[in-house]
Amino acid sequence: PHRLHACLSFAPLMLLSYRTTEVTLEDLHQGITTARPNSDGVSQYPLQLALAYLLLAGYLVRTVFVSVGLPASVGVICTGFLFSFFMQGEVLAARDQLQELSFFLVLLTAGLEIRLRDLRLYIFTMAFVPATFEILGIGLYAVHVLGFTSVEGLVLGTILVAIGDGLVIPKMKEFSCRFVGHPLPRLVFVWAPIEASFALSLFGTLKGFAAPAHQHPIRTDVLILANILRIVATVALGALLGGLSGLLVSRRTKLTVQGNQVFTGSATEAFLMVLAVALLAFGLSAGGPNGRIVPLGICDGSLFQPELVVIMTGIFFAAVADDEVVHGVENVMGGVWIFGQIVLFSMLGSRTTLSIFPEFIHHVLPMLLTGLCFRFMGVFFSINAILSLGFRGHPFKRSTVLPDSLFCFLSTV
C-alpha cells in the first residue's frame, strides 16, 4: 500500500515545493512565459498557473457536481484527469507528496472526530470481518485461477482489499452533515480507518512469508511479534503525543511572560499546534533516508505505523482536550479540508489512464468482483452476528438487516 507523507498546509506547500523556473526577470514583468513540453512530454510553465488551475477548476467543477446532486469527488477527479494531459513538471515531481499531504489531513480529520467511546466491539467486528472475507475471496481466486500460492494470494488480497479510507471518510463526513443523527455514516466513518490499519498490519505480516527465494527466511514468530509490537508502540506514541498536546493546548492561555499572555487562545492557533504534533508523529513513523527513523529492531521497518499513529494522535487529543478547543480545531480543519479534497482527488485523477482498461476488464475486474461478493457476505454475516450476540451500542435492527448491509457494503467500495 502507498506510504503517504505530509506537510503543513497548501499555501506553505506551494512555497516549499517551489523551485526556480526558467522565467527571466523580463518575463516576470510582462507576465508572459511560454508553455513548452520537454523530452518526457511534461509541460514546462509557471507553477503558479498549474496551482491556479487545480484550485480554481477543481473547486468550480466540485461546486457544479454538488449543485446537480453528483459526488463532488468525481468532479474533482475529472479535473485531475484533464490536468494529466498538460501536467506541469514541478507538480508532477511533487505529486506523491501532495497526495500524501492530503491523505494526512484525512487521517487527522478522522482521528479528531473519533471518540474513545466509539471504539466498541461491534465497530471492530465490522472493521475486521468483511475485510477478512474479501481478502480470502481474492486469495481463493488468485490460487485457483491465477496459479498463485496461498501466501501470495493472501498478500494480493491485502493489497486489493476494497476499503479506501481517503475516499470513504470524506464521503461519510458529508453524509453525516446531510443526514444529521443517522447512525450508519458515523459507523462507517469510524470503521474505515480501523479496517485500513488492519489491512496494513496484515500485509506487513504476510509479505514476509512471500519474500523472494534469494532472501533469508523470516521466522513466523518474529513476524507476528514484530507486528504486535508495532501496533502497541503506535498506539502508545499516539496516546502520548495526542494526550500531552491535548492537555497543553487546552491550558496554553495560562502561560504568561511578565504578566502578558503568550498565546492568543484562538482556534487557528490550536489547529496549528495539533497539526504540528500530528506531523511529528507521522514523520517519526514514515522514515528517513534509510527508510526508517525509529527502527523496529527485530525486523525490517519502522517501529510505528504512519497511518494509525496520526489517527491515534487525533483520538487522544480529542479525548483529553477541552470540548471547546476540540470543536474549534474541527471547524478550522473543515475549512482546510476543502483544499485537501481538491488536491487529493486531483492527484488521483491525474494518475488515471485509459490504456489500462482492456487488461483491467479481462484480468483484474473478475478478481475484484469476486472479492466484493465475499465482502458483501462478510458485511451481512457481521451484522447478523452483532444482532445475535447482542453487542452493545450497535445501530442495527432485524427488520433492516438487508438495507443496512447494502449501505455498509456500498459505502466501503
Side-chain angles (χ1 to χ4, degrees):
H2 223 50
R3 291 287 180 191
L4 304 175
H5 303 285
C7 283
L8 187 55
S9 66
F10 293 94
L13 183 64
M14 297 173 191
L15 299 177
L16 290 171
S17 63
Y18 181 83
R19 297 196 300 262
T20 304
T21 59
E22 298 180 71
V23 182
T24 66
L25 184 59
E26 181 180 356
D27 288 330
L28 291 174
H29 282 299
Q30 294 178 353
I32 299 172
T33 187
T34 304
R36 56 193 182 282
N38 61 17
S39 58
D40 298 324
V42 178
S43 298
Q44 297 298 328
Y45 55 90
L47 175 64
Q48 295 88 337
L49 293 179
L51 294 174
Y53 167 80
L54 288 175
L55 295 177
L56 184 58
Y59 184 75
L60 289 176
V61 175
R62 173 186 180 275
T63 303
V64 170
F65 269 58
V66 170
S67 66
V68 296
L70 294 175
S73 57
V74 176
V76 182
I77 288 173
C78 290
T79 63
F81 174 69
L82 293 176
F83 184 60
S84 66
F85 292 99
F86 53 94
M87 179 75 77
Q88 200 270 349
E90 292 176 271
V91 174
L92 177 62
R95 181 166 59 181
D96 289 344
Q97 287 73 26
L98 288 167
Q99 188 171 320
E100 288 175 317
L101 167 61
S102 307
F103 188 63
F104 166 82
L105 292 176
V106 173
L107 298 173
L108 185 55
T109 299
L112 289 171
E113 297 205 12
I114 294 175
R115 301 294 181 261
L116 289 174
R117 62 177 179 271
D118 293 328
L119 303 179
R120 299 188 179 185
L121 191 55
Y122 76 91
I123 290 289
F124 290 101
T125 302
M126 296 301 297
F128 295 162
V129 176
T132 302
F133 268 66
E134 183 177 0
I135 291 169
L136 291 175
I138 293 174
L140 288 172
Y141 184 94
V143 170
H144 294 289
V145 178
L146 302 179
F148 284 28
T149 65
S150 298
V151 174
E152 291 170 344
L154 291 174
V155 171
L156 183 62
T158 60
I159 295 172
L160 297 179
V161 66
I163 194 69
D165 43 348
L167 298 172
V168 173
I169 291 173
K171 193 62 182 177
M172 292 304 105
K173 186 174 175 63
E174 178 186 333
F175 280 170
S176 296
C177 296
R178 291 175 58 187
F179 307 102
V180 178
H182 198 291
L184 290 186
R186 178 70 180 175
L187 165 68
V188 180
F189 182 93
V190 176
W191 126 34
I194 298 174
E195 181 178 320
S197 299
F198 167 69
L200 287 170
S201 300
L202 196 58
F203 173 79
T205 301
L206 292 173
K207 73 175 182 179
F209 297 108
H214 66 273
Q215 291 187 4
H216 296 294
I218 302 175
R219 291 169 49 188
T220 304
D221 56 342
V222 173
L223 270 177
I224 295 174
L225 177 62
N227 281 278
I228 293 175
L229 179 61
R230 181 179 286 116
I231 293 173
V232 171
T234 299
V235 173
L237 179 64
L240 175 64
L241 293 177
L244 188 61
S245 61
L247 186 67
L248 295 177
V249 170
S250 296
R251 290 157 178 76
R252 69 190 186 281
T253 54
K254 296 181 180 180
L255 180 62
T256 59
V257 175
Q258 296 181 350
N260 296 317
Q261 183 176 305
V262 175
F263 297 105
T264 65
S266 67
T268 303
E269 181 182 75
F271 169 75
L272 291 175
M273 292 178 175
V274 175
L275 194 63
V277 172
L279 283 168
L280 170 64
F282 195 59
L284 290 175
S285 310
N290 62 347
R292 55 191 179 275
I293 291 179
V294 184
L296 186 58
I298 62 174
C299 192
D300 289 338
S302 173
L303 179 61
F304 310 113
Q305 189 184 99
E307 294 81 8
L308 182 59
V309 76
V310 175
I311 296 171
M312 297 311 299
T313 300
I315 288 175
F316 280 96
F317 173 85
V320 174
D322 296 340
D323 289 342
E324 183 181 355
V325 172
V326 175
H327 292 321
V329 170
E330 288 176 345
N331 289 335
V332 177
M333 175 66 82
V336 173
W337 172 237
I338 298 289
F339 294 94
Q341 187 181 47
I342 292 172
V343 173
L344 174 63
F345 295 137
S346 293
M347 294 301 101
L348 289 174
S350 70
R351 294 177 180 274
T352 304
T353 173
L354 300 178
S355 62
I356 67 170
F357 281 96
E359 185 175 354
F360 170 80
I361 292 173
H362 291 94
H363 299 290
V364 181
L365 183 59
M367 179 168 51
L368 293 181
L369 291 177
T370 301
L372 291 175
C373 289
F374 273 79
R375 169 175 280 271
F376 179 76
M377 289 189 290
V379 171
F380 188 78
F381 173 81
S382 298
I383 293 177
N384 280 282
I386 289 169
L387 288 168
S388 299
L389 296 174
F391 292 161
R392 292 183 178 181
H394 69 79
F396 303 117
K397 298 179 181 178
R398 287 285 182 188
S399 59
T400 58
V401 169
L402 184 58
D404 290 348
S405 299
L406 288 171
F407 177 85
C408 292
F409 167 71
L410 293 174
S411 295
T412 57
V413 173

